[in-house]
Amino acid sequence: MSGFGRLMRTLARISRTRYPGFVFGLPLSRREIPVFIYHDIETDAFARDLEFLRRNSYRTLGLDEYLAAREGRVRPGRSVLLTFDDARKSFGSVALPLLRQFDARAVLFAPTYWMQPPQRAADDLFMSWEQLRACVESGHVDVQSHAHRHALVATAPQVVDFANPSALARFDIYDWPIRFIDAQDELGKPALGTPVYRAAPLLSAQRRYLESGDITRACRDFVDGHGGPEFFAQPDWRMQLDRIFDEHARRTPGRFMDADAFERLVASEFELCREEFKRHLGYAPHCIAYPWHLGSTPSLQQARRTGFQVAFGVAMDYRAERHRSRLPIPAYGRLKSDWLQFLPGDQRASILGALRRKVAGFGTVQHLAH
């Protein structure tokens, strides 16, 4: 995928994003409660954010208090909602101790598939159910849903790359679409040589393309038989894999999942997640943070049918927030934690410096397959 393509996709996302006025140096509007999103957490950076909030008399709300405030049932004053996606290990080791130290509240959104013991050491990135229970019992954290698989699915037969050492090192575990091999779904980082198809978040996609497992195995076997990682030192490695792919695609093409099966797959994201919560934490979540961005209207309808009452998206979903009454469940946008120190207050950050950093990073923020 070219740097130009990533740049154009990033600019398109920015054009769909509405940022609150405080990012540009304006005061907070009346009843405005900014919501910030974190992923992996570093001690110094998060401590600075909490110190900024304390110094400027911002309260950190629990989830129910935030929702009550947005519905006009309470008026909490100057406040924010801190949210954390993915339930990475750094939440337990970094964020939770700091929340205790600053007597702060937060919401942690956990993708339930990844809370089980990993099959590979390289996938040991996430908290356990025992650690999530400790978060709930701490009184500082509301644990809610980040769907079940947190998955991308292939949406077209177009191959955008093959799993190679450089891409495996660069892209996160979530950035690799589910593979359909021997009638089973395979998640996580793929084996070298695996074809990577054009993809989209499962809860936003309109359909799913099921690749041929025979093609995937042929590409993987070819890499294994030609040096493994060393194969990718050859300047024409992509051409060689394209040839293997084309040879097998003529004999065993993939197919699109039928509509009913796809609807059941989407429904399982909500159903399995709630089952796992009830089994391990003793309650079913009522709130979901959509992976990547707010999902399709059918997925929001399915979320409501399954028992979810509220959804969170990201910054590009702020425009949906203005039309919450038209959505199956209320939805709220969130800002990256980078913007927290732009809030009104002592030692407020400057927009000009942030814009320079954002422009410098335009070419690196696009996910691998979408």
Side-chain angles (χ1 to χ4, degrees):
M1 181 180 298
S2 69
F4 178 76
R6 287 195 296 271
L7 172 61
M8 296 307 295
R9 269 181 274 276
T10 299
L11 292 175
R13 286 202 305 277
I14 291 174
S15 72
R16 299 194 300 269
T17 299
R18 181 184 72 82
Y19 289 105
F22 75 82
V23 168
F24 304 98
L26 299 176
L28 287 174
S29 61
R30 192 179 177 206
R31 295 187 179 179
E32 183 175 3
I33 305 174
V35 184
F36 297 99
I37 176 175
Y38 294 81
H39 291 88
D40 255 335
I41 308 104
E42 296 180 355
T43 301
D44 291 346
F46 188 46
R48 282 195 300 271
D49 283 351
L50 291 176
E51 179 56 41
F52 176 88
L53 294 173
R54 181 166 64 182
R55 182 171 64 247
N56 290 291
S57 301
Y58 286 92
R59 291 184 58 218
T60 55
L61 302 181
L63 177 61
D64 289 344
E65 190 175 12
Y66 169 79
L67 296 175
R70 292 304 305 263
E71 294 165 6
R73 292 185 281 116
V74 299
R75 301 180 68 176
R78 181 180 265 199
S79 55
V80 299
L81 182 69
L82 305 180
T83 69
F84 294 78
D85 285 2
D86 301 345
R88 302 270 180 158
K89 284 189 170 183
S90 61
F91 184 88
S93 62
V94 175
L96 183 56
L98 285 170
L99 291 170
R100 286 188 172 118
Q101 178 183 332
F102 283 83
D103 193 23
R105 296 291 305 274
V107 186
L108 175 62
F109 293 109
T112 46
Y113 173 88
W114 299 98
M115 302 300 100
Q116 61 189 336
Q119 296 180 355
R120 303 182 306 172
D123 296 341
D124 189 16
L125 306 171
F126 304 96
M127 300 175 71
S128 67
W129 284 109
E130 290 76 17
Q131 290 169 321
L132 289 180
R133 192 177 306 112
C135 289
V136 173
E137 293 170 353
S138 74
H140 293 273
V141 184
D142 298 301
V143 180
Q144 293 288 323
S145 171
H146 201 31
H148 181 58
R149 301 171 187 85
H150 192 304
L152 299 172
V153 292
T155 56
Q158 177 187 0
V159 173
V160 299
D161 204 352
F162 294 89
N164 61 81
S166 176
L168 286 165
R170 177 182 176 192
F171 291 103
D172 193 33
I173 194 169
Y174 292 141
D175 291 329
W176 300 91
I178 301 175
R179 281 81 58 195
F180 188 67
I181 311 294
D182 297 328
Q184 296 291 325
D185 283 338
E186 177 186 283
L187 282 78
K189 291 191 175 185
L192 290 171
T194 300
V196 181
Y197 296 82
R198 177 68 65 191
L202 168 58
L203 296 181
S204 305
Q206 301 301 312
R207 59 182 182 172
R208 179 185 177 187
Y209 179 73
L210 298 174
E211 69 270 43
S212 165
D214 290 342
I215 298 175
T216 300
R217 282 190 296 271
C219 292
R220 290 175 174 180
D221 291 345
F222 184 80
V223 170
D224 286 343
H226 290 76
E230 288 74 23
F231 166 76
F232 295 93
Q234 302 177 56
D236 65 340
W237 68 261
R238 176 66 189 256
M239 293 178 59
Q240 294 185 56
L241 283 175
D242 281 338
R243 187 185 72 250
I244 299 299
F245 180 92
D246 291 341
E247 289 174 357
H248 286 79
R250 285 191 290 269
R251 298 196 297 267
T252 57
R255 61 182 174 84
F256 284 97
M257 177 179 276
D258 70 72
D260 289 342
F262 183 71
E263 184 177 344
R264 290 194 297 273
L265 177 66
V266 170
S268 73
E269 279 294 288
F270 306 106
E271 294 165 351
L272 292 173
C273 140
R274 286 172 64 85
E275 289 172 8
E276 289 293 292
F277 262 78
K278 286 188 282 188
R279 179 180 301 116
H280 294 283
L281 298 182
Y283 64 90
H286 66 279
C287 176
I288 181 169
Y290 270 75
W292 289 291
H293 54 80
L294 200 62
S296 63
T297 297
S299 81
L300 286 165
Q301 291 169 338
Q302 184 60 56
R304 182 188 63 190
R305 287 194 291 269
T306 314
F308 286 96
Q309 301 169 16
V310 178
F312 283 91
V314 292
M316 75 171 73
D317 298 315
Y318 267 89
R319 68 174 57 187
E321 183 174 319
R322 291 179 294 174
H323 306 289
R324 284 195 306 278
S325 61
R326 303 178 192 173
L327 296 174
I329 57 176
Y332 300 97
R334 298 180 291 167
L335 292 169
K336 286 186 176 181
S337 59
D338 305 16
W339 302 107
L340 185 144
Q341 298 205 20
F342 288 75
L343 288 167
D346 182 39
Q347 299 181 19
R348 185 183 200 177
S350 162
I351 188 65
L352 294 179
L355 287 176
R356 284 193 292 269
R357 292 192 298 274
K358 293 289 181 185
V359 169
F362 274 176
T364 63
V365 298
Q366 177 65 31
H367 289 298
L368 176 66
H370 64 291

